[in-house]
Amino acid sequence: MTGGLPRRLVLVGFMGSGKSTVGRLLAESLGWRFQDLDQSVEEEVGRSVPTIFAEDGEAFFREVEGRLAESILAGDHVVLAAGGGWAARPGRLPEVPDGTLTVWLQVSPEEAVRRVGATGAARPLLDVPDPLVRARSLMAERRPFYAAAGLTVDTEGLTPIDVSRRILTLMGVAHERTQ
Ligand code: S3P
């Protein structure tokens, strides 16, 4: 992003990094809209993410995900929690519209698998016999894409409120007054 306060925020990072929870807190603090990209896809298609993966395939999911993100990012004062794979394409983060601050919520594969453990079946890409092996290889592929974000916050050992406050501080927003 070049200069000035952002007009929209996009949270990126691996499954289990806390994008949706932190995104809601940020939106509340900023008085902005919150959009969860997975939920937007589910509403558009009328089926759950695992069902879309199983019945229509990942390519179809990615096409809808990309189209909806583009339309959400055409608006102002919105916090978008992207699905973990959205940012992992060449050009995606570098090409967000002007005025968009992208934030990478970092999490280790071990912590990600632990956090999503209870809801494994809701994440088709980790619904495999050894989710940790899959998480490690996906993370290695995706790290260079996530690293193109404007801000990086390591979430390890932090609560969602801590992460949200850290982002507000980095944005220069006085969170004492907003949270
Ligand atoms: C995916 C992450 C999921 C969801 C889908 C694919 C990914 O979102 O979009 O299961 O490719 O990492 P969360 O990151 O919100 O779990």
Side-chain angles (χ1 to χ4, degrees), residues 13-17 19-20 36-38 49-50 53 58 61-62 65 81-86 116 122-126 138 142 146:
F14 206 70
M15 293 168 266
S17 58
K19 301 178 296 281
S20 301
D36 181 289
L37 191 51
D38 286 338
V49 171
F53 267 70
E58 182 174 349
F61 174 83
R62 298 294 173 206
E65 178 186 52
W86 174 80
V116 305
R123 264 81 169 199
L125 296 181
L126 293 183
L138 267 179
R142 291 177 175 184
Y146 294 151

Side-chain angles (χ1 to χ4, degrees), residues 82-168:
W86 174 80
R89 296 202 163 196
R92 191 140 262 171
L93 290 192
E95 286 166 17
V96 291
D98 208 28
T100 307
L101 177 62
T102 53
V103 185
W104 175 20
L105 301 189
Q106 279 185 321
V107 65
S108 66
E110 291 75 15
E111 178 65 11
V113 167
R114 198 185 64 71
R115 289 187 195 167
V116 305
T119 56
R123 264 81 169 199
L125 296 181
L126 293 183
D127 193 15
V128 293
D130 195 337
L132 185 54
V133 168
R134 167 63 68 83
R136 284 188 177 132
S137 80
L138 267 179
M139 189 86 89
E141 276 170 34
R142 291 177 175 184
R143 188 169 283 114
F145 295 104
Y146 294 151
L151 288 179
T152 298
V153 176
D154 186 352
T155 69
E156 215 81 10
L158 298 184
T159 65
I161 289 179
D162 293 335
V163 175
S164 155
R165 287 189 173 150
R166 190 157 295 184
I167 294 167
L168 292 171

